[in-house]
Amino acid sequence: MNEFSIICRILGSLFNRQPQDPLLVPLFTMLREGKLQQHWPLEQDELLTRLQQNSDPQALAADYNALFVGSDCKVPPYGSQWENGPQEVAVRAFLQQRGMPLSDGPADHFGALLLAASWLEDQSEEDEIEAQIALFDDYLMPWCGQFLGKVEAHAGTAFYRTLAAISREAVQAMRDELAEE
């Protein structure tokens, strides 16, 4: 797994799963112990320190639910619910064409799209750069700025405000990296 894949997997997991999800325990442990910074390839030390200081999963559960869960959530995490976002069926078809195994969950979830970018980096064949560029340009970039801005505006915890800032910079850095390749 390379740096691109690691960033996508970490950020995708933090958006895609409830903070108290057992699968996130190792990640939150790394965060609390300050070990994520040692492995983070982007210059975001100040933001990562802020994330570390606010990383109690139990305290974050209510904010996660208010932000992302249910029909009356403050910030819908699904691209299809944003004006410039992709339709779920289009995202699903795109990923299936590349051989990605999909769950029954919506494929247009912000976290799921980042996890898909990680999968494409790790699994896909020689057209991975074109597939990743398409994923970013067609399914992620058109709406993620609005989405992350709303997360920053509506988050009740410093954790999710900081996660949105880290994600905005990381998504742009990864897209810039794809352009260079």
Side-chain angles (χ1 to χ4, degrees):
M1 227 187 313
N2 65 21
E3 293 174 343
F4 184 104
S5 179
I6 290 169
I7 291 170
C8 290
R9 181 134 337 147
I10 289 171
L11 297 177
S13 294
L14 289 171
F15 277 103
N16 203 41
R17 296 188 175 278
Q18 294 272 351
Q20 68 276 23
D21 186 311
L23 292 175
L24 292 183
V25 169
L27 179 54
F28 273 105
T29 300
M30 277 183 72
L31 269 171
R32 273 194 310 281
E33 293 174 356
K35 292 181 179 172
L36 186 61
Q37 282 173 297
Q38 302 166 15
H39 307 288
W40 198 251
L42 301 173
E43 295 295 321
Q44 295 181 304
D45 287 351
E46 184 180 318
L47 290 171
L48 290 168
T49 297
R50 200 176 329 149
L51 208 61
Q52 176 187 354
Q53 293 165 345
N54 297 282
S55 61
D56 175 20
Q58 297 309 318
L60 299 174
D63 198 23
Y64 182 91
N65 285 316
L67 285 168
F68 308 125
V69 178
S71 57
D72 58 346
C73 66
K74 294 177 183 171
V75 189
Y78 306 102
S80 57
Q81 294 183 343
W82 292 84
E83 185 179 330
N84 297 327
Q87 291 305 304
E88 197 276 341
V89 68
V91 176
R92 185 169 289 280
F94 171 79
L95 295 173
Q96 284 174 329
Q97 286 171 352
R98 273 140 195 90
M100 183 175 172
L102 297 174
S103 69
D104 291 339
D108 65 329
H109 187 288
F110 180 75
L113 287 166
L114 290 173
L115 291 169
S118 174
W119 185 88
L120 285 171
E121 179 70 18
D122 294 341
Q123 304 294 326
S124 73
E125 303 299 325
E126 61 277 344
D127 71 339
E128 79 176 44
I129 298 295
E130 282 112 35
Q132 287 175 324
I133 289 171
L135 179 73
F136 274 74
D137 290 355
D138 300 340
Y139 304 113
L140 195 56
M141 299 297 284
W143 67 283
C144 79
Q146 277 184 294
F147 167 74
L148 294 169
K150 292 269 189 192
V151 172
E152 282 182 291
H154 292 285
T157 59
F159 182 88
Y160 285 106
R161 282 191 299 277
T162 305
L163 183 61
I166 288 171
S167 299
R168 177 180 292 108
E169 289 178 15
V171 167
Q172 188 60 57
M174 289 183 291
R175 180 58 187 93
D176 292 347
E177 181 183 315
L178 287 171
E180 291 169 12
E181 293 178 23

